[in-house]
């Protein structure tokens, strides 16, 4: 799941980026309304955390412009806490409204509820769960099971597995995995991908008879159910 935080307070934006990343989300940040609108228009985010008071164009203007072309989930996060402010935000198209100061745990809970509702309401498009052989991944509840057994995955391991499963049968390079899962430029001296794959494999494959995660020498990794 990918989230865009549009927040001009640098410390708060970094706090949100770090905290949501630790919850397992891929997080991008914009500090102005113009930059945020551009990013939200160009990239398919699962959810936006949108400040109401921004330089350039404010949050309501960003929301109004965004709603002309996209229905991305939007949680407004603002110091404007009067009833009329909340009503205006919701009527402008926000899916939820949280007033500063706020508890981070409440923000995460609200994000989870929005994503869960969106997943349950989908009649088409991206599924809320993915399956292959005896493996099932619930993208909303962030739970993975194999042969009915819960896999105890870290946030990054879950994101890695979800990406591989979305593109099952396709060989993904170390560079692409680093960019998509860790949101980082690939450094050939870094073995973060190999370490994460090794740990994921120990939980996904070693307890079971049939391996699903395969290494393609010199190319990368692929998730597929091969014939025995």
């Amino acid at each position: 799941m990918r989230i865009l935080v549009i927040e001009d307070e640098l410390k708060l934006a970094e706090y949100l980026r770090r905290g949501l990343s630790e919850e397992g989300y891929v997080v991008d940040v914009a500090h102005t309304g113009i930059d945020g609108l551009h990013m939200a228009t160009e990239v398919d985010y699962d959810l936006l955390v949108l400040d109401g008071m921004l330089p350039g164009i404010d949050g309501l203007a960003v929301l109004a412009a965004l709603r002309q072309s996209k229905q991305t989930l939007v949680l407004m996060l603002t110091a404007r806490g009067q009833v009329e402010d909340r009503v205006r935000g919701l009527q402008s198209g926000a899916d939820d409204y949280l007033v500063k100061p706020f508890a981070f745990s409440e923000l995460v809970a609200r994000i989870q509820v929005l994503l869960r509702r969106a997943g349950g309401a989908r009649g088409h498009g991206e599924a809320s769960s993915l399956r292959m052989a005896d493996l099932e991944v619930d993208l909303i509840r962030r739970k993975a099971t194999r042969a009915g057994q819960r896999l105890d995955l870290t946030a990054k391991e879950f994101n890695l597995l979800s990406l591989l499963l979305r593109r099952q049968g396709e060989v993904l390079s170390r560079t692409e995995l680093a960019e998509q899962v860790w949101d980082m430029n690939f450094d050939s001296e870094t073995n973060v991908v190999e370490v994460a794959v090794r740990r994921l494999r120990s939980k996904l494959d070693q307890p079971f008879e049939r391996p699903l995660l395969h290494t393609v020498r010199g190319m990368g990794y692929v998730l597929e159910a091969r014939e025995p």
Side-chain angles (χ1 to χ4, degrees):
M1 294 287 180
R2 192 165 189 175
I3 292 176
L4 173 63
V5 172
I6 308 176
E7 170 61 60
D8 66 320
E9 295 181 36
L10 300 185
K11 289 184 178 179
L12 177 56
E14 176 58 20
Y15 170 72
L16 292 172
R17 186 200 64 76
R18 185 167 58 249
L20 292 173
S21 296
E22 290 173 355
E23 291 293 326
Y25 300 104
V26 175
V27 184
D28 295 330
V29 175
H31 297 300
T32 70
I34 293 174
D35 288 344
L37 178 59
H38 174 74
M39 293 171 67
T41 303
E42 294 298 315
V43 179
D44 288 327
Y45 290 100
D46 296 287
L47 183 139
L48 270 61
V49 176
L50 175 63
D51 183 20
M53 301 167 64
L54 293 165
I57 57 175
D58 67 11
L60 290 178
V62 171
L63 183 58
L66 183 65
R67 284 292 178 253
Q68 295 180 15
S69 59
K70 286 195 172 185
Q71 293 302 314
T72 308
L73 293 171
V74 175
L75 189 157
M76 291 205 71
L77 185 64
T78 176
R80 293 171 175 166
Q82 298 297 319
V83 172
E84 55 268 26
D85 294 319
R86 297 198 297 272
V87 170
R88 189 180 303 113
L90 294 170
Q91 289 180 338
S92 297
D95 297 281
D96 201 354
Y97 196 104
L98 185 59
V99 178
K100 300 175 182 177
F102 62 94
F104 181 74
S105 57
E106 181 180 1
L107 173 67
V108 172
R110 286 173 180 258
I111 288 173
Q112 291 172 340
V113 168
L114 287 175
L115 293 173
R116 188 180 304 124
R117 287 175 180 169
R122 285 189 185 103
H124 59 280
E126 183 182 357
S128 61
S129 64
L130 302 170
R131 295 178 179 85
M132 186 183 73
D134 57 355
L135 171 66
E136 181 173 359
V137 171
D138 186 324
L139 298 172
I140 304 301
R141 294 178 176 85
R142 298 185 64 78
K143 179 177 70 173
T145 58
R146 184 165 183 194
Q149 298 182 36
R150 177 75 175 264
L151 303 180
D152 185 18
L153 305 178
T154 66
K156 289 302 183 186
E157 289 165 354
F158 182 88
N159 287 351
L160 177 60
L161 177 60
S162 300
L163 175 60
L164 289 163
L165 188 52
R166 281 191 180 98
R167 297 171 62 178
Q168 57 184 280
E170 181 180 347
V171 179
L172 301 181
S173 68
R174 296 163 65 207
T175 300
E176 184 166 8
L177 292 176
E179 291 175 347
Q180 294 292 324
V181 178
W182 285 268
D183 194 24
M184 58 182 278
N185 294 324
F186 183 71
D187 181 351
S188 60
E189 300 300 320
T190 300
N191 66 346
V192 63
V193 175
E194 289 85 346
V195 170
V197 168
R198 183 165 62 248
R199 290 176 177 170
L200 176 60
R201 183 177 278 135
S202 71
K203 300 174 182 180
L204 175 67
D205 285 342
Q206 287 183 8
F208 303 94
E209 182 177 350
R210 187 181 186 185
L212 298 177
L213 180 53
H214 307 277
T215 300
V216 181
R217 189 176 297 277
M219 297 180 64
Y221 305 95
V222 60
L223 194 74
E224 61 182 356
R226 297 178 176 176
E227 295 297 326

